Amino acid sequence: MKRITKYIFYALIAVLFIGTFVYLYIKSRPEPVIYREITVAPADISRTTIVTGKIEPRNEVNIKPQINGIIDVLYKEAGQQVAKDEVIARLKVIPDMQSLSSAQSRVRLAELNLRQAEVDYGRQKALFDKDLVSAEDYDKVLQSLNQAKEELASANDVLEVIRDGVSSSNATSSSTLVRSTITGLILDVPVKVGNSVIQANTMNDGTTVATVADMSDLIFDGNVDETEVGTLEIGMPVIITIGAMQNYRFDATLEYISPKAVLNNGANQFEIKAAVSVQADKMIRSGYSANAEIVLESATQVLSVPESALEFEGEDTYVYLKNADGGFTRTLVQTGLSDGVTIEVKEGLKEGDVVRGSRIIN
């Protein structure tokens, strides 16, 4: 009995040893390499570039006051439409004391001159009625009187404009009223009632009361790398994508390529602009970030294979072409346009050929 148990024990050890050897032998054998098979077929290929930028109105205008003052009333707010010459705000004038004093002095001097002219005119008229002075002398005195009246009226107008912002003789064109210079949408009203504003002059740009833009005429503004700008031409079609509008896409046309580069993040880039065609029912906001897809080159229905099927050696390009016996032969090909995934094959293959693709990993 003990001898049988001993034989069984030795047998189990032998089986375990042989099993381990067989397992290690099987694991050490190389697995068969399996490749995808790709049929050569015609395809449309295009090489594109993506340009980042933003959407903005072609015509955006800052509305500024004609005089210094304080915002008294705001009639419009951001987001509202405004017509050309429509009033956006009304100002309360803060007169410049030096200008006011000078205008008041001019009025007083004009009043003195008018009183003297009236006295001179009265004397000359009495003498003229008695035929004691000539008509020429009378006409000169009358002209002086009319000039004195005109000077007083002009001085009063200047005083009223400086003091009140509008003259009584030209009340319809009051400089206290800030009017839009274009028809469009009000993008921003950066002032509030009570804010002081100043007019534009040679010393400063003046205070912007409102920013108005024509939102029916939009452009895409972006920058393209110098390596690609040479392939761009005015009139090229552009596809614009706005991420904030759930990838809404619309057409545009390239209309401007800057002749001068700008340094952006260490790279030379050129500004481009494209005229945007937007559907009437779509609300596009100024400043939206957008991507412009520009087709640099394209080819229609050309023989193509995936780039992963290519093998490069020096300046030559090869594929592995399937033979009748199921094997693959290394074949020289000439390639053309590539979109980064698919590449055109100009020579070396024909439609229907089967080439070896990427490896299939088990």
Side-chain angles (χ1 to χ4, degrees), residues 10-321:
Y10 287 146
L12 290 175
I13 292 176
V15 170
L16 180 61
F17 177 77
I18 294 171
T20 302
F21 178 77
V22 171
Y23 173 77
L24 292 176
Y25 173 74
I26 293 173
K27 292 293 292 183
S28 65
R29 295 185 62 187
E31 295 182 1
V33 179
I34 302 174
Y35 292 92
R36 292 182 175 87
E37 294 185 356
I38 301 166
T39 301
V40 179
D44 294 338
I45 302 176
S46 61
R47 185 170 71 90
T48 63
T49 184
I50 302 298
V51 181
T52 59
K54 62 181 180 179
I55 302 297
E56 58 187 23
R58 185 188 303 275
N59 188 19
E60 183 175 317
V61 178
N62 292 327
I63 309 301
K64 300 183 179 183
Q66 299 177 357
I67 59 172
N68 300 335
I70 295 175
I71 300 293
D72 191 33
V73 181
L74 284 172
Y75 297 102
K76 297 289 184 178
E77 61 183 19
Q80 292 183 326
Q81 289 287 337
V82 64
K84 182 179 180 180
D85 294 328
E86 188 174 355
V87 177
I88 297 176
R90 188 183 69 202
L91 304 182
K92 181 168 62 176
V93 177
I94 303 177
D96 178 76
M97 297 310 298
Q98 182 177 355
S99 300
L100 180 61
S101 177
S102 177
Q104 290 171 336
S105 176
R106 179 182 172 185
V107 169
R108 289 192 296 269
L109 180 60
E111 289 173 344
L112 291 174
N113 290 335
L114 177 59
R115 285 196 292 269
Q116 184 60 49
E118 287 174 341
V119 171
D120 293 342
Y121 173 75
R123 292 173 180 169
Q124 288 292 330
K125 189 174 185 311
L127 296 175
F128 178 73
D129 291 339
K130 297 177 181 181
D131 296 328
L132 297 177
V133 296
S134 65
E136 182 180 357
D137 292 338
Y138 172 76
D139 290 340
K140 289 181 180 180
V141 174
L142 179 59
Q143 181 180 4
S144 297
L145 176 63
N146 291 332
Q147 289 177 342
K149 290 179 179 179
E150 184 63 29
E151 172 61 22
L152 179 59
S154 175
N156 279 320
D157 283 346
V158 171
L159 176 61
E160 289 174 351
V161 168
I162 293 174
R163 184 186 59 208
D164 307 321
V166 58
S167 67
S168 56
S169 63
N170 197 16
T172 56
S173 59
S174 172
S175 56
T176 60
L177 300 179
V178 181
R179 301 176 184 271
S180 176
T181 56
I182 64 170
T183 297
L185 181 72
I186 298 178
L187 301 181
D188 186 26
V189 179
V191 296
K192 297 180 180 179
V193 173
N195 285 162
S196 297
V197 295
I198 58 176
Q199 68 181 109
N201 53 46
T202 56
M203 301 299 294
N204 58 70
D205 294 333
T207 305
T208 298
V209 175
T211 301
V212 181
D214 180 6
M215 297 302 292
S216 64
D217 187 10
L218 301 175
I219 61 172
F220 168 84
D221 189 352
N223 292 300
V224 66
D225 191 80
E226 64 179 341
T227 58
E228 297 175 331
V229 71
T231 60
L232 300 183
E233 294 180 1
I234 300 298
M236 275 185 166
V238 180
I239 302 297
I240 305 295
T241 304
I242 297 179
M245 299 183 66
Q246 298 182 349
N247 293 324
Y248 170 58
R249 296 164 62 90
F250 51 92
D251 296 328
T253 303
L254 189 63
E255 65 175 22
Y256 172 78
I257 305 171
S258 175
K260 181 179 179 181
V262 294
L263 192 63
N264 190 1
N265 294 327
N268 281 335
Q269 294 188 327
F270 291 81
E271 182 185 23
I272 64 169
K273 295 180 181 180
V276 174
S277 300
V278 182
Q279 299 177 7
D281 60 339
K282 296 293 183 179
M283 174 60 181
I284 308 296
R285 301 181 186 277
S286 177
Y288 266 155
S289 296
N291 292 329
E293 181 181 340
I294 307 175
V295 177
L296 303 177
E297 297 179 82
S298 63
T300 304
Q301 292 299 294
V302 294
L303 290 181
S304 62
V305 295
E307 284 200 11
S308 59
L310 302 180
E311 182 178 278
F312 301 96
E313 184 176 308
E315 296 183 355
D316 296 329
T317 305
Y318 298 89
V319 296
Y320 285 87
L321 179 63

